[in-house]
Amino acid sequence: MTTITVTIWHNVAVDGQGRPTGMLDGYQPGDPVVRVFTYQAGPAGRLPDDIAEEAFAICNGHPRDARGTDLARQYYQRRLRSLSVGDVVAAGEVALAVGRPAGWDPVRGGLSEVRTDQHGTHPLPLPSPVSGDAAGPGERPHEGTAP
């Protein structure tokens, strides 16, 4: 079975007064984002938007099936906040930002990854320099599949 990696990124952009801007303005090119969760999904002919919708449901505690329930449990065990406007879901190589007021906006260019750890946003552990595998809940080696 062919799988793709789905990666959840939290937008941590703030204005000059420290207020989060992603939820107000949506994702803007150059916004700092934190890689917080990743899993393997079967594309099965689905469009990236469909995979992003499934990820949104999982990361907001509304999974559609037993596998989604397990992923939601793993997501919330990491003490992560819900996915919100301005956050990004990457379905394989296609990055989509949660749109405002709804839907998905394509992310143009690369993401500006940071490793900020704050309430509800905790970066995934760095891969082990020995094995190249990640170490922690919600992180799977890219060769494997999520349960």
Side-chain angles (χ1 to χ4, degrees):
M1 175 180 175
T2 302
T3 62
I4 61 169
T5 301
V6 177
T7 306
I8 307 301
W9 302 83
H10 283 179
N11 188 328
V12 293
V14 294
D15 65 14
Q17 297 176 353
R19 296 178 295 216
T21 58
M23 291 190 316
L24 300 172
D25 302 327
Y27 176 84
Q28 302 297 313
D31 277 358
V33 291
V34 178
R35 185 172 59 105
V36 297
F37 194 74
T38 185
Y39 64 94
Q40 298 298 304
R46 298 183 296 165
L47 297 173
D49 289 33
D50 297 329
I51 295 168
E53 283 292 333
E54 178 182 68
F56 187 85
I58 288 166
C59 298
N60 281 285
H62 301 287
R64 299 174 181 162
D65 56 27
R67 182 172 178 280
T69 298
D70 185 52
L71 289 168
R73 180 188 51 75
Q74 291 176 46
Y75 184 82
Y76 285 107
Q77 279 181 336
R78 296 200 66 246
R79 300 180 348 254
L80 298 171
R81 64 170 173 75
S82 295
L83 203 58
S84 302
V85 170
D87 292 336
V88 175
V89 174
E93 297 296 317
V94 179
L96 300 167
V98 180
R100 182 168 175 76
W104 299 96
D105 297 325
V107 173
R108 307 273 185 238
L111 295 172
S112 298
E113 183 175 5
V114 297
R115 292 198 50 83
T116 301
D117 193 326
Q118 59 192 38
H119 180 74
T121 297
H122 311 290
L124 283 170
L126 291 172
S128 164
V130 174
S131 68
D133 291 358
E139 178 70 2
R140 301 269 190 253
H142 291 270
E143 303 82 38
T145 59

